[in-house]
């Protein structure tokens, strides 16, 4: 089994990117400003195994539909293609994504 975990923090764009001022140098039309919230994040775990019989996608503890799972599996096919190119088998994948909140608990009066 091969397994990995990633954490993505919430990012709020206050001033958004609105296109390019210069295509050659890829200069933005305007500056952007965003805020990353370190207490709000999502953790995603991806596991590939020869023991899995089908791809599965779980979001917030709920197994997702075949259509939602296909979207994730189609993206992860990029990884599977690289494995095949290196002579490794294309294993099925289980993906789990969980939004988390890491704020200290406040005392209750």
């Amino acid at each position: 089994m091969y397994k990995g975990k990633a954490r993505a923090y919430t990012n709020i764009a206050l001033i958004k990117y609105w296109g390019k001022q210069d295509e050659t140098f890829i200069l933005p039309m305007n500056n952007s400003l965003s805020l990353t919230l370190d207490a709000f994040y999502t953790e995603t775990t991806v596991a590939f195994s020869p023991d899995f019989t089908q791809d599965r996608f779980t979001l917030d503890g709920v197994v997702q539909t075949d259509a939602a799972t296909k979207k994730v599996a189609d993206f992860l096919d990029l990884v599977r293609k690289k494995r095949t190119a290196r002579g490794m088998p294309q294993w099925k994948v289980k993906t789990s994504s969980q939004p988390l909140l890491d704020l200290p608990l406040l005392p209750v009066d």
Side-chain angles (χ1 to χ4, degrees):
M1 176 187 295
Y2 291 96
K3 190 175 185 179
K5 184 189 286 189
R7 182 179 283 186
Y9 291 90
T10 300
N11 185 275
I12 300 170
L14 304 173
I15 300 173
K16 291 187 169 193
Y17 172 80
W18 287 355
K20 295 184 183 90
Q21 176 182 12
D22 185 307
E23 290 287 334
T24 305
F25 295 106
I26 310 177
L27 297 174
M29 184 80 66
N30 59 295
N31 291 329
S32 61
L33 178 64
S34 66
L35 177 69
T36 300
L37 307 174
D38 65 352
F40 299 95
Y41 55 90
T42 298
E43 281 190 347
T44 301
T45 302
V46 177
F48 292 90
S49 173
D51 299 331
F52 300 157
T53 58
Q54 65 182 29
D55 293 328
R56 188 177 79 189
F57 173 44
T58 305
L59 179 63
D60 200 14
V62 178
V63 176
Q64 298 299 294
T65 65
D66 289 343
T69 298
K70 183 176 179 344
K71 288 181 182 180
V72 173
D74 285 351
F75 175 75
L76 291 172
D77 280 346
L78 298 170
V79 175
R80 286 190 262 231
K81 285 179 185 176
K82 287 188 181 242
R83 288 179 52 83
T84 301
R86 293 181 180 164
M88 301 169 80
Q90 286 195 9
W91 294 343
K92 297 298 181 185
V93 64
K94 289 187 180 178
T95 307
S96 177
S97 193
Q98 183 75 34
L100 300 167
L101 175 60
D102 188 17
L103 291 176
L105 295 176
L106 299 175
V108 178
D109 293 329

